[in-house]
Amino acid sequence: MDVETIRARLSSLPINEIQYLPETYSTNDDALAWAQAGAPEGVIVIADKQLKGRGRLGRTWVTQPGVSLAFSIILRPTIDETEKLSLFSPLGALAVALALEEFGLSPEIKWPNDVLVSRKKVSGILAETAWLGRHIQGVVLGIGINVASGSIPEANRLLFPATCVEEELGKPVDRLSLLEAVLRHLFAWRNQVCSGIFIEQWRKRLAFKGEKVLVRTPEGELSGVLYDIDQNGALVLSLGGNQFQTILAGDVQLRPCSVED
Ligand code: BT5
């Protein structure tokens, strides 16, 4: 990859600026610093290798050179959208899912924002807010995708089984074509992130619907049947006996009971 080739391949998209780094600590950190310095919507940081790729809750995200995709995009929410910031990471998940569908796969979205293929994690998304005092400067949407086989971390580093696009598809995939498809879908849905039709698209791809799951929230663990997501993107769990629990977007781990056991 080099920045001129990337620019040429993404030239039809409404991208403001692209920074390509052969190696960095975390593209989210780079993009957050850029957002705090006032960068506009549509600025993108792409890296071939991350030395300190981040997941949620201080977890690690592994990005290997030549075989992974790791990038972060700066978005500038409108005032109305700042009320619903938790919908930005599912926006990333939907964009990845739609791109993978274009490549012939059948992805699912594990609430709130992991993309699975064959029930294994192929992509993780981390949305973070850039603050300037009390003012939101932007949202940084970081997306990591396992493209070729060397991108899958060793099993002992994983909380959940993982896979990569090429292994699922059974043929080589051009990383820049996949990047272009994800960004194209991201821009296409970006202005509808607070709409019912966005939730509907997300809901269609919801993993583990009707299955027994274990959800870890900051308040403790809950098990129940994954019923749905509501119009705000919150998870609705059926606890049995007509009892439902709504879990707001947040620091939650969700896994099928069979994986946890
Ligand atoms: C995520 O967190 O899945 C969010 C990952 C976001 C990564 C992107 S890459 C570009 C941008 N820059 C960053 O620094 N981050 C973003 P979470 O749901 O907390 O999952 C983290 C867990 O996924 C780890 O604890 C591992 O178990 C597992 N994991 C790590 N690397 C993986 C990989 N390459 N494939 C599948 N699972 C992985």
Side-chain angles (χ1 to χ4, degrees):
M1 280 210 256
D2 66 85
V3 75
E4 288 317 319
T5 312
I6 297 172
R7 279 204 183 110
R9 296 285 295 278
L10 304 181
S11 59
S12 61
L13 301 175
I15 291 172
N16 250 311
E17 214 174 316
I18 297 173
Q19 184 176 37
Y20 169 68
L21 302 162
E23 189 176 291
T24 191
Y25 286 98
S26 156
T27 55
N28 261 37
D29 287 343
D30 299 326
L32 279 168
W34 212 345
Q36 256 142 8
E41 169 140 339
V43 165
I44 297 181
V45 182
I46 304 169
D48 195 33
K49 180 178 180 181
Q50 293 188 112
L51 299 167
K52 238 177 167 178
R54 281 190 285 116
R56 294 174 298 155
L57 298 169
R59 293 190 287 251
T60 301
W61 180 262
V62 178
T63 303
Q64 300 288 9
V67 287
S68 311
L69 272 174
F71 55 98
S72 301
I73 176 162
I74 297 173
L75 301 174
R76 295 235 165 216
T78 61
I79 293 187
D80 287 347
E81 286 169 350
T82 56
E83 306 288 316
K84 293 196 168 188
L85 287 184
S86 61
L87 293 175
F88 279 90
S89 50
L91 169 68
L94 181 67
V96 172
L98 290 168
L100 294 178
E101 285 170 15
E102 228 178 272
F103 279 72
L105 294 172
S106 302
E108 293 179 296
I109 300 174
K110 173 171 161 283
W111 188 88
N113 55 357
D114 288 342
V115 182
L116 310 181
V117 176
S118 309
R119 298 263 149 140
K120 296 180 214 155
K121 183 161 169 172
V122 72
S123 170
I125 286 112
L126 178 67
E128 295 180 298
T129 308
W131 295 93
L132 199 68
R134 289 181 170 183
H135 188 70
I136 291 178
Q137 281 285 82
V139 167
V140 166
L141 193 52
I143 301 184
I145 307 177
N146 300 333
V147 182
S149 58
S151 60
I152 306 173
E154 286 168 19
N156 61 8
R157 298 187 70 180
L158 297 174
L159 294 168
F160 194 87
T163 189
C164 67
V165 181
E166 288 191 358
E167 203 165 290
E168 296 300 322
L169 213 50
K171 60 178 184 193
V173 168
D174 176 50
R175 278 191 301 163
L176 286 184
S177 302
L178 183 57
L179 175 66
E180 188 277 334
V182 173
L183 291 172
R184 180 163 29 82
H185 289 292
L186 190 67
F187 286 118
W189 281 96
R190 188 257 167 274
N191 289 330
Q192 302 191 71
V193 69
C194 291
S195 71
I197 160 171
F198 167 74
I199 299 284
E200 204 44 54
Q201 289 297 317
W202 176 12
R203 179 181 274 139
K204 271 193 199 165
R205 295 165 177 84
L206 192 63
F208 310 121
K209 209 169 166 180
E211 293 179 39
K212 202 164 178 217
V213 293
L214 182 82
V215 183
R216 277 202 193 117
T217 72
E219 290 79 42
E221 284 186 4
L222 272 174
S223 71
V225 172
L226 196 155
Y227 183 71
D228 207 351
I229 43 170
D230 70 13
Q231 70 275 22
N232 297 314
L235 184 73
V236 185
L237 210 57
S238 162
L239 306 176
N242 267 343
Q243 269 199 306
F244 293 90
Q245 173 93 33
T246 300
I247 300 160
L248 300 173
D251 298 333
V252 169
Q253 287 179 21
L254 180 152
R255 53 186 62 198
C257 284
S258 55
V259 171
E260 177 65 13
D261 290 343

